[in-house]
Amino acid sequence: STYPSLIGQCWQAHPGSVCSKGSCGKNGTRDQFQEELVIRPLHSGDIYASFQFRTLWDIDFLQERQKVSHYRLFPKSLGQVLSKFSVRELHISFTQGFWRTMQWGQPFIPSPPGAELWVWFHDTVSDVDGNWKELTNVLSGIFCASLNFIDLTNTVQPSASFKPLGLGNATDHRFLRYATLPREIVCTENLTPWKKLLPCGSKAGLSVLLKSEKLFHSSFHSQAVHIRPVCQDEQCTSKAWELRQTLNVVFDLYTSSQGKKEWSLFKMFSRTLTEACPLATSSKIYVDITDNPELFELNPVTPLLSQAVVLGDRRTYSVFDLTRAETFGQLCSLNLLLRWKGDSDMLRPLLHAERYVAGFGLQTGEIHTVIYNNHPYRAFPVLLMDSVPWYLQLYIHTLTVTSKSRDNKPSYIHYQPAKDRHRPHLLEMLIQLPPHSMTEVTVQFERALLKWTEYTPDPNHGFYVGSSVVSALVPSMVAMNTNFTQDQPLFSSFVPVKEESSYFVRVYTEPLLVNLPTPDFSMPYNVICLTCTVVAVGYGSFYNLLTRTFQVDEPSLPLEKRLANLIRRIRGVPLLA
């Protein structure tokens, strides 16, 4: 009741039906699988490719609560996780690189660098922390990641951010857990188990394009798994589990295309498409041709066109339906070709955020978070969530928020102080952004001195601090369709909203790299070397004095006397003294 009404409008209100016409069929009782690829030429000359695989499982754990033993399309490993740990929603992402919002615009599904995991548990769970710890260890084994390093020192319970994206309107944040690992490295061993969750694996359909050596040879790579309950029909009489696997990749112009402004499926993935996944009810490729033909030329040309409002902008797409035989032509192979014609101006996103560390020395510093509202005449609120490790001791009384050189008082602040070696800082604020403005949030901190066993193997590299999260309902330039029961692309229906005048956006800032006071870990080696040298010299000399024997050596005779004694010895005459 203490929350401002705006928070309830932005992050607690979700429609009861989150399904499309293709997924909510007439029977509504069968598992379904959909796949699609969205190709968006960026104004920087790069290519943004977004894969989305959607699996609907016709069962409701929230109501039936029985043990399920039959799995058709839904992966059994994830189904058992949902059942054992009473998971209501699960969202996990692995990202390599940083999404450059000012150059590439907004992604369809954002994610921070490293690993991110946030889970809503069912309200019947008694020991949430225990389930959370076991769940992270199980997911660590499923995805071959370092999620077992998630513990209470990097886990927070947001009070207003990360509301459920599926059915339900949960407000009790005791059943929500959020954690990030900004230093997590994403590689092939994470992609392989992710592909095995698909019904067709990497054998047929769009998944044949997921060649690891091409995907990781890019500027940005992000793979994610989102599980949530959704409706199966328009009246929401029956529910289902939705598994949405997403993979976003940005191919660099110069490293992937040798500086030539010409793209194709074969150049990007070293593969072409020959068939759709046999288990898929829908398999499509969308190519954003809104800027065509001024910016680029697409070949082959398809008569199928589709319009969708994505992130507040109406876009036009060429649609290639892989379930149709005429899509592949006489060669039975589909290889899309995009050839650039000219350059265009970059469009600045309406919402952008960045963060950096200021100060000098290894004692104190400042964290600056800058949020940009590029809308020319509309002001809107944003919800900022920041999780800071315990070894950066925040001085919350130094918190300042300024917009256009004026103080900007947040309408809602939730701060949970950290406990050393137990939990991190959690700061959430609802800030009103003036139109066409830059808002800066500043807070000072002091660096703590860790125990020598708490340092990483490379302590001089620094310690990572997770990204700040900015959530907002951004005003839309065009009217949006809020009827989610109609047939529409998957990439435009992940985050539903009720208002036609705005759309939901989540923005992540850069992770921070902070240096802490670090002892000289080479000193033990130096002490050992010095001690051994002193022992060798001192003890060796003393040992020689105790064990060595001394004898008196007579001085040797001159050469002439030795010759004379030789002659005397021969003659038998006494020798000379």
Side-chain angles (χ1 to χ4, degrees), residues 153-207:
T153 61
N154 50 23
T155 301
V156 295
Q157 304 176 25
S159 63
S161 303
F162 296 98
K163 294 301 179 182
L165 297 180
L167 292 175
N169 194 15
T171 58
D172 193 348
H173 63 275
R174 295 179 302 169
F175 301 99
L176 171 64
R177 294 295 182 273
Y178 175 85
T180 58
L181 295 176
R183 200 175 181 178
E184 180 72 14
I185 304 299
V186 186
C187 56
T188 308
E189 65 182 7
N190 306 117
L191 180 64
T192 301
W194 184 88
K195 291 191 295 185
K196 290 182 179 180
L197 299 176
L198 298 173
C200 291
S202 57
K203 305 299 182 182
L206 296 176
S207 58

Side-chain angles (χ1 to χ4, degrees), residues 62-197:
L62 303 180
Q63 181 178 1
E64 300 181 7
R65 313 297 299 168
Q66 79 275 13
K67 184 178 180 181
V68 179
S69 58
H70 176 69
Y71 295 86
R72 179 174 174 263
L73 299 180
F74 202 92
K76 184 178 180 179
S77 59
L78 295 182
Q80 292 176 339
V81 167
L82 298 178
S83 176
K84 178 177 177 58
F85 299 105
S86 300
V87 175
R88 189 184 188 94
E89 279 196 25
L90 186 146
H91 305 269
I92 182 173
S93 65
F94 302 96
T95 305
Q96 186 69 29
F98 178 70
W99 182 269
R100 305 180 184 278
T101 308
M102 296 300 294
Q103 298 180 10
W104 301 337
Q106 296 288 354
F108 295 134
I109 300 180
S111 57
E116 180 191 42
L117 175 64
W118 57 286
V119 178
W120 275 95
F121 293 94
H122 199 263
D123 53 7
T124 58
V125 177
S126 58
D127 186 8
V128 179
D129 291 332
N131 280 26
W132 170 254
K133 183 178 180 180
E134 293 184 20
L135 177 62
T136 54
N137 285 274
V138 171
L139 294 178
S140 178
I142 293 177
F143 294 100
C144 296
S146 303
L147 300 178
N148 55 307
F149 285 95
I150 294 179
D151 52 16
L152 296 180
T153 61
N154 50 23
T155 301
V156 295
Q157 304 176 25
S159 63
S161 303
F162 296 98
K163 294 301 179 182
L165 297 180
L167 292 175
N169 194 15
T171 58
D172 193 348
H173 63 275
R174 295 179 302 169
F175 301 99
L176 171 64
R177 294 295 182 273
Y178 175 85
T180 58
L181 295 176
R183 200 175 181 178
E184 180 72 14
I185 304 299
V186 186
C187 56
T188 308
E189 65 182 7
N190 306 117
L191 180 64
T192 301
W194 184 88
K195 291 191 295 185
K196 290 182 179 180
L197 299 176

Side-chain angles (χ1 to χ4, degrees), residues 240-467:
W241 282 106
E242 181 196 65
L243 167 62
R244 190 175 298 222
Q245 297 178 242
T246 63
L247 190 145
N248 300 322
V249 58
V250 176
F251 292 98
D252 184 76
L253 172 66
Y254 297 98
T255 60
S256 301
S257 189
Q258 291 80 38
K260 299 180 181 180
K261 288 192 173 182
E262 182 177 303
W263 295 93
S264 66
L265 288 182
F266 187 80
K267 284 187 177 181
M268 289 188 290
F269 305 103
S270 297
R271 302 281 179 85
T272 58
L273 294 174
T274 57
E275 61 176 348
C277 176
L279 300 176
T281 57
S282 173
S283 180
K284 297 180 181 180
I285 297 180
Y286 295 85
V287 182
D288 193 340
I289 59 171
T290 308
D291 301 323
N292 192 32
E294 292 79 7
L295 183 60
F296 64 91
E297 178 183 356
L298 176 63
N299 188 29
V301 180
T302 174
L304 298 178
L305 298 178
S306 175
Q307 283 192 351
V309 178
V310 183
L311 299 175
D313 189 14
R314 191 177 303 277
R315 312 295 294 181
T316 304
Y317 297 90
S318 290
V319 184
F320 297 85
D321 193 349
L322 301 184
T323 59
R324 298 183 178 184
E326 57 269 17
T327 303
F328 302 97
Q330 298 179 354
L331 299 177
C332 297
S333 176
L334 178 61
N335 183 26
L336 301 180
L337 176 64
L338 288 85
R339 185 178 292 107
W340 253 254
K341 289 184 177 181
D343 299 330
S344 62
D345 297 333
M346 296 184 183
L347 301 178
R348 300 180 62 185
L350 295 182
L351 180 62
H352 174 57
E354 58 186 18
R355 189 168 64 150
Y356 61 91
V357 175
F360 58 90
L362 293 177
Q363 183 179 1
T364 60
E366 289 183 348
I367 296 179
H368 293 254
T369 304
V370 185
I371 308 174
Y372 298 90
N373 177 13
N374 295 322
H375 201 286
Y377 56 88
R378 288 287 299 274
F380 56 88
V382 297
L383 183 62
L384 173 65
M385 192 200 78
D386 205 350
S387 177
V388 181
W390 62 268
Y391 45 77
L392 298 183
Q393 301 170 356
L394 296 182
Y395 294 151
I396 200 64
H397 68 278
T398 63
L399 178 66
T400 58
V401 181
T402 58
S403 298
K404 295 183 177 181
S405 302
R406 297 180 180 178
D407 292 339
N408 188 346
K409 185 178 180 180
S411 57
Y412 169 74
I413 296 181
H414 170 71
Y415 174 66
Q416 184 182 46
K419 290 184 179 180
D420 289 354
R421 300 172 180 86
H422 285 85
R423 71 183 184 192
H425 301 269
L426 175 61
L427 177 62
E428 290 181 285
M429 295 185 296
L430 186 65
I431 306 173
Q432 184 77 12
L433 300 184
H436 196 65
S437 64
M438 180 188 71
T439 302
E440 185 174 9
V441 180
T442 305
V443 62
Q444 298 180 6
F445 67 90
E446 182 178 353
R447 296 171 171 89
L449 184 62
L450 304 181
K451 299 179 181 179
W452 71 275
T453 56
E454 296 173 341
Y455 287 92
T456 58
D458 52 347
N460 292 306
H461 177 75
F463 292 79
Y464 284 89
V465 180
S467 305

